[in-house]
């Protein structure tokens, strides 16, 4: 029999809490970007739409309750550091939380994290965009980031509260459907033979009351199931 895979971690640590440092000029349609996130000291209050004093410049494509907080793990940042030959400092990818021990890209959709006094719920992946590519200044960055599938996860805020660097991240609930953020991203960005299966598992889990999908995930999953029928 094949070896049993190790159980996913149920706790980790917040290494840094990051919010916008300054709005920067950008060649996109909005003209500025808030991707320049940097670590802050002390507790930060997290509300339904994200961290206090954080902003999103392009609100048509970023932000909202299902993208209130963006988490990226140190494990993925270390992988990129080896690939790119330089340190991926907290906030460089525009994340609000840099974690260790909890790998954000491998979090299960609908997983709930207790961080400080806040309760957060994993909604979906971060899709790389042209703004991110301009931030990194590397050729083919969107394609490279997509192929690596180390995308981190967005979270909605179920309970507002305060969080800070050094807080423990505790998984209070992990849905049984088992679809991770990376599974979902791979199924919708490649010619993935399990696209319909992954989507069906998410829709079935929502129908059973085990997860509340974001509108974006639900719509994409519904289309994928219909196409695979």
């Amino acid at each position: 029999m094949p070896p049993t895979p190790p159980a996913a971690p149920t706790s980790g640590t917040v290494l840094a809490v990051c919010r916008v440092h300054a709005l920067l000029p950008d060649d996109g349609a909005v003209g500025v970007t808030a991707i320049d996130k940097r670590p802050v000291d002390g507790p930060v209050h997290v509300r339904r739409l994200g961290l206090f004093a954080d902003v999103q410049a392009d609100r048509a494509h970023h932000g909202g309750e299902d993208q209130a907080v963006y988490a990226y793990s140190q494990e993925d940042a270390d992988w990129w550091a080896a690939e790119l030959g330089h340190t991926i400092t907290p906030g460089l990818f525009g994340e609000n939380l840099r974690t260790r021990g909890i790998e954000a890209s491998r979090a299960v959709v609908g997983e709930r994290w207790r961080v400080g006094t806040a309760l957060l719920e994993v909604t979906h992946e971060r899709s790389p965009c042209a703004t991110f590519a301009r931030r990194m200044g590397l050729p083919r960055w969107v394609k490279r980031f997509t192929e690596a599938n180390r995308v981190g996860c967005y979270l909605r805020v179920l309970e507002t509260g305060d969080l800070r660097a050094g807080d423990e991240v505790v998984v209070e609930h992990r849905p049984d459907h088992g679809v991770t953020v990376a599974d979902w991203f791979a199924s919708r960005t490649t010619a993935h033979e399990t696209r319909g299966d992954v989507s069906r598992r998410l829709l079935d889990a929502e129908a059973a009351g085990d997860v509340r999908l974001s509108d974006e995930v639900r719509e994409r999953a519904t289309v994928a199931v219909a196409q695979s029928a």
Side-chain angles (χ1 to χ4, degrees):
M1 294 181 62
T4 302
T10 56
S11 66
T13 305
V14 176
L15 297 181
V17 177
C18 307
R19 62 188 178 197
V20 66
H21 175 71
L23 292 176
L24 301 178
D26 183 68
D27 289 338
V30 177
V32 294
T33 175
I35 198 171
D36 183 13
K37 314 289 189 190
R38 301 190 192 182
V40 295
D41 295 327
V44 178
H45 191 65
V46 60
R47 303 179 291 187
R48 295 291 180 186
L49 294 177
L51 302 185
F52 178 76
D54 195 32
V55 297
Q56 298 84 32
D58 182 0
R59 295 187 180 179
H61 300 98
H62 300 286
E65 291 192 0
D66 290 332
Q67 299 181 41
V69 177
Y70 175 46
Y72 204 77
S73 65
Q74 187 63 42
E75 290 81 358
D76 284 342
D78 288 342
W79 187 89
W80 279 115
E83 285 288 302
L84 301 179
H86 63 79
T87 301
I88 306 301
T89 56
L92 181 63
F93 284 2
E95 75 270 23
N96 299 116
L97 302 181
R98 175 67 65 86
T99 66
R100 186 190 297 281
I102 293 289
E103 296 190 46
S105 303
R106 279 150 286 281
V108 172
V109 175
E111 190 171 292
R112 294 174 191 161
W113 297 358
R114 177 68 66 182
V115 188
T117 59
L119 183 63
L120 312 177
E121 183 175 67
V122 175
T123 55
H124 57 82
E125 82 291 351
R126 181 261 194 84
S127 295
C129 62
T131 300
F132 188 23
R134 289 189 290 270
R135 161 82 159 171
M136 297 303 295
L138 296 171
R140 301 174 57 254
W141 177 250
V142 169
K143 180 177 176 60
R144 193 171 181 181
F145 193 78
T146 297
E147 290 176 345
N149 199 4
R150 296 171 180 269
V151 288
C153 67
Y154 282 115
L155 304 105
R156 65 169 63 100
V157 180
L158 298 182
E159 296 177 11
T160 62
D162 296 325
L163 46 77
R164 65 191 303 163
D167 278 345
E168 186 177 14
V169 180
V170 177
V171 177
E172 291 197 348
H173 171 69
R174 179 170 283 149
D176 292 332
H177 62 75
V179 177
T180 67
V181 169
D183 293 335
W184 169 247
F185 188 63
S187 77
R188 52 169 289 249
T189 57
T190 65
H192 204 285
E193 65 275 11
T194 62
R195 180 176 298 166
D197 174 65
V198 166
S199 297
R200 193 172 293 106
R201 285 159 62 191
L202 287 175
L203 292 173
D204 287 349
E206 183 170 52
D210 197 29
V211 66
R212 177 166 67 93
L213 301 178
S214 69
D215 291 343
E216 176 183 330
V217 171
R218 186 184 306 107
E219 290 167 7
R220 290 182 183 274
T222 300
V223 170
V225 168
Q227 291 176 339
S228 66

